[in-house]
Amino acid sequence: MRESLLVIVGEDECLVSYDVTALFTSVPVDESVNIIHDLLSKDTTLSARTKLTPQQITDMLTVCLKTIYFVHDGQFYSQCEGAAMGSLVSPITANLFMEYLETLALSCLHSPPTFYGRYVDDTMVILKRSVVEDFTNHPNSPGY
């Protein structure tokens, strides 16, 4: 039996859905690799799972994320920005970057959502009607 989630929306609240535009190709690779390196460095169980150091893992990750080539109309191209669609490491990298970004964004809100749920690049949020515009603009604001 599937587990279901019942969320009650108050009279002064609303349910809002968000979608990240072009998630994989919008992921900043260098920043994401730094975030992953930091997470690996803090993982006290890493040495039980691998002999590789966080630096070795992120060096290999960088190669995977930055050596992306494709052919279009017989012409070879190199992807310069973002994570490639179809790469096995892109979903993991994008998810860890999104987790970092949402943790940062949610930690500095004056009125946090009553409910926040995300699956890959789709987010469902319940928040006060009075803060919808501020919440929507928050991740895209200067200095964020």
Side-chain angles (χ1 to χ4, degrees), residues 14-79:
C14 62
L15 175 68
V16 184
S17 174
Y18 295 96
D19 181 52
V20 175
T21 305
L23 174 61
F24 285 8
T25 55
S26 299
V27 170
V29 171
D30 291 332
E31 185 177 355
S32 297
V33 169
N34 289 338
I35 291 164
I36 292 169
H37 185 275
D38 187 50
L39 290 169
L40 290 169
S41 296
K42 292 176 181 173
D43 184 347
T44 58
T45 66
L46 183 64
S47 62
R49 296 190 314 275
T50 182
K51 292 181 181 181
L52 297 173
T53 66
Q55 188 61 53
Q56 290 170 323
I57 295 169
T58 53
D59 284 348
M60 289 187 292
L61 179 61
T62 300
V63 170
C64 291
L65 290 169
K66 290 197 168 203
T67 54
I68 304 300
Y69 301 97
F70 59 95
V71 178
H72 177 69
D73 282 342
Q75 183 77 24
F76 279 88
Y77 295 91
S78 174
Q79 182 169 330

Side-chain angles (χ1 to χ4, degrees), residues 84-124:
M85 296 290 294
S87 168
L88 295 176
V89 297
S90 292
I92 298 164
T93 303
N95 191 51
L96 290 171
F97 178 75
M98 284 294 294
E99 183 179 307
Y100 168 81
L101 192 64
E102 69 192 5
T103 300
L104 183 65
L106 293 171
S107 70
C108 59
L109 289 173
H110 299 295
S111 182
T114 307
F115 174 83
Y116 182 93
R118 177 178 60 86
Y119 181 74
V120 187
D121 65 343
D122 298 313
T123 307
M124 183 176 78

